[in-house]
Each structure stands twice: as structure tokens, then as C-alpha cells.
Amino acid sequence: ILDYPGKKRFRNFEKQLGLFPKKIINGTDDLSKIVDRYDYLICGSDQVWNGIKVPNQDIFLLNFAKNKPKLSYAASFGMTTIPEKMKSIYSEGIKHFDSLLLREDEGVTLCKDLGRKDAHKVLDPTLLLDIDEYEGVMSSEIPEIQGKYVLVYSLNQSYKIYSETYKMCKKYGYKMVVLKRSFVPPFIDNMENSIELFAVSPGGFLSLIKKAECVVTNSYHALLFSINAKTPFYLYLNNIDEENSRLLTVCKMCSLEKRVFYETQKLPVEIGMIDYASVHEILLRERKKSIQLLENSICKYILR
């Protein structure tokens, strides 16, 4: 649950984009009442089909829409294998989808294993826009950081990502800016020239990544926006996390496997530049392909 400052900033972001919901939908009963208003339904993105972490898979598999075309865009299972007890839920659910566009290589493989050979991999929707198209939402709602810095954004409670990044900052004389989701350990009180930020707005998140000298993270979207903003980065991953698959898919696609490290390894103290010209050639090609696949799946029903 977001604390009050974070919640307020996120609501302001939604209003800025005109996304604040006019109606809150609660469960399949509400969905069943409004489904007839729509010609087709699209499910995605993020880990909407991760039944271990996300309950109510009957909603995210669109089971309530019995007679409507069902599409997915960048849907993710967030796991490399489906538990045996859940296989029938997914095989029956995806059987009724007219188009299956998945976010990871593993998702495409899982769909094929469940009997759907027509699944395709596409980009996360955040990569369908160039970084310049995000300029309008980049926020100044963050403290002014004097001098150069390395940004750390971690989704787990490992101390090692901080201690390893701190060595890099000491080498270059940069600040270490730690972006945290809540006031929980590990803390960095003993690390000189380091700053902790909490409850940063979505626009502030983008701005911090774009202005950083380097980003060290285990976050999927911090990775995506680092690539989009042409900011050098290192992934520093837990060795056993199944959710690593989504990050590794992106690095493999962009030939950036050398930027991936695990907590059993030391992180390089040198930042090292990235040939973003070649990376963005790949990104542009994949962006066009993803948009074309999405347009094809939608137009099939518009042109009926």
C-alpha cells in the first residue's frame, strides 16, 4: 500500500495523463454487466497471468467475456513453469483467446506447451514510446541532486546491491542515490555521500533514471527505462528468482547479456559505456514489429 505522499503523487500523475478512472470495477459481477459495451477485450501487460502472485485468474483470462473476441498484449506469466495444479486453468483459459502476444520468451514457450503454437513475443508497452515522448511527464518533484550520481533501485531486501554499488560510487566520486518503495531495511546510514528517496512520483522515477550516470537495479521497468533513456546500467539479480526471465529476455534481445550480474558475483567498479546506437536499432525494429502485431490483431475485428 502506498503511503500518503506516494499515493498523492501517483494520483496527480494519473490526472495529468487523463487516466483517473471514472468507475471502479469490483469483480466479475461488475465486469459481466459492462462487457456488452465493447467489441473486443485486451488483457495485459505485466504479470497478469502469474497465478501464484495474482489471484482471480478467471478475470485476467477474461473468462467473464463469453462471446467477445479476446486479445492479449505483453501478458506475462512471471514464471518459467506452470504448477501442475494450475495447468488446466491456463490451458482452458488461453484456448479462447483470438490473439496471444506475450512479453517474454518463456511466456511464448508456455503457451506452446499448453497447445497454442500461434503465440508471439512483443515489447513491454513502455518501450512502444521513445524516451522523448515521456518528456512531458518527467517530474521535478524530486530533490535537486547536486553533482553526478549512480541510481540504485532494488525490489528485494538484499544489502549487497548497495554495498557493491557504493564501491563504484567511491571510485568515481559520485553520489549514490537509493530509490526505495518504503521505510524498510537495509539502510545506508553508514555510506557517506548517499541519499535515500521515498515516494517518488512516476515522472520523478523517469527523470532520476535519465539523469543518472549509471543505474544498478533488479527491477524490470528500471531496466527498460534505462535502455530507452540510453543510461548505462547493471542488472544485479538474485540467482534463484523465476522473475529474472523477463529481464533476461530484454538483455538477450538487445545483446546486453554482459550487463547482467548475480549476487554471487562482485559488481564491476567501472561503469563502462554501452553502444546504444546498435541497441536502439534493435529496439526500433522490435517496436515496429510489436506495433504491427498489435494492429493486426485489433484490425481483424474492426474490419469484420
Side-chain angles (χ1 to χ4, degrees):
I1 299 173
L2 293 172
D3 62 7
Y4 179 71
K7 185 175 182 179
K8 182 178 179 181
R9 286 170 183 161
F10 200 88
R11 292 293 175 253
N12 288 340
F13 177 76
E14 289 181 319
K15 289 177 181 178
Q16 182 183 358
L17 297 182
L19 297 177
F20 199 74
K22 295 179 180 179
K23 178 179 175 59
I24 303 298
I25 302 298
N26 293 302
T28 53
D29 288 342
D30 278 359
L31 286 167
S32 298
K33 292 174 184 176
I34 66 168
V35 70
D36 286 339
R37 301 178 192 173
Y38 303 98
D39 297 317
Y40 52 86
L41 292 89
I42 302 177
C43 176
S45 61
D46 218 340
Q47 298 183 58
V48 289
W49 290 345
N50 187 337
I52 297 173
K53 292 187 174 182
V54 181
N56 302 322
Q57 281 299 301
D58 57 326
I59 292 177
F60 292 105
L61 288 166
L62 308 181
N63 292 338
F64 60 89
K66 300 298 182 185
N67 300 309
K68 296 288 182 178
K70 304 175 189 180
L71 320 175
S72 74
Y73 184 82
S76 172
F77 290 91
M79 47 187 171
T80 55
T81 57
I82 296 176
E84 196 64 36
K85 63 181 180 180
M86 294 183 178
K87 284 186 176 178
S88 60
I89 295 172
Y90 287 109
S91 60
E92 182 63 24
I94 68 169
K95 180 170 70 177
H96 300 288
F97 272 75
D98 297 84
S99 173
L100 286 169
L101 303 179
L102 283 296
R103 198 175 66 176
E104 291 100 35
D105 294 325
E106 285 80 0
V108 173
T109 300
L110 289 174
C111 283
K112 289 181 178 179
D113 291 343
L114 292 168
R116 289 297 298 264
K117 311 296 184 184
D118 56 340
H120 295 279
K121 184 188 76 175
V122 291
L123 291 180
D124 185 271
T126 60
L127 288 179
L128 297 183
L129 299 178
D130 185 84
I131 194 64
D132 292 339
E133 297 177 86
Y134 286 100
E135 286 290 344
V137 298
M138 288 193 191
S139 172
S140 59
E141 287 184 1
I142 56 173
E144 185 66 30
I145 300 168
Q146 299 296 328
K148 297 180 178 181
Y149 64 90
V150 174
L151 178 67
V152 185
Y153 182 49
S154 176
L155 301 183
N156 63 37
Q157 294 188 16
S158 170
Y159 183 75
K160 196 169 182 184
I161 192 170
Y162 302 125
S163 60
E164 287 295 305
T165 304
Y166 187 61
K167 296 175 186 176
M168 179 191 302
C169 293
K170 292 284 282 185
K171 173 181 173 61
Y172 288 96
Y174 295 163
K175 288 183 171 67
M176 183 169 78
V177 176
V178 174
L179 180 57
K180 301 187 78 171
R181 297 185 295 170
S182 57
F183 297 89
V184 296
F187 300 113
I188 58 168
D189 297 342
N190 62 333
M191 295 182 178
E192 185 183 0
N193 210 24
S194 297
I195 303 169
E196 285 184 326
L197 298 178
F198 300 89
V200 171
S201 68
F205 175 72
L206 300 184
S207 182
L208 281 168
I209 289 174
K210 186 175 181 182
K211 295 176 182 177
E213 299 300 311
C214 184
V215 173
V216 181
T217 190
N218 47 43
S219 156
Y220 179 67
H221 285 100
L223 165 67
L224 298 189
F225 281 112
S226 295
I227 292 172
N228 210 341
K230 301 180 181 178
T231 301
F233 72 88
Y234 285 111
L235 287 185
Y236 203 46
L237 304 177
N238 183 310
N239 294 59
I240 58 173
D241 194 339
E242 273 208 337
E243 292 181 20
N244 288 345
S245 65
R246 55 186 181 156
L247 297 105
L248 298 176
T249 290
V250 174
C251 288
K252 180 181 176 183
M253 177 189 74
C254 295
S255 299
L256 290 170
E257 295 97 326
K258 291 183 179 179
R259 310 301 290 198
V260 180
F261 290 83
Y262 295 89
E263 291 187 359
T264 52
Q265 303 171 292
K266 291 184 177 181
L267 197 65
V269 293
E270 292 83 14
I271 290 176
M273 295 299 103
I274 294 173
D275 178 12
Y276 271 122
S278 61
V279 169
H280 275 244
E281 284 181 11
I282 297 169
L283 184 57
L284 182 59
R285 183 174 67 245
E286 293 297 322
R287 182 179 292 154
K288 289 179 178 178
K289 174 184 170 185
S290 297
I291 292 172
Q292 189 65 59
L293 284 166
L294 178 59
E295 288 179 346
N296 289 348
S297 64
I298 293 174
C299 288
K300 188 184 299 183
Y301 301 103
I302 293 176
L303 299 175
R304 273 184 173 182

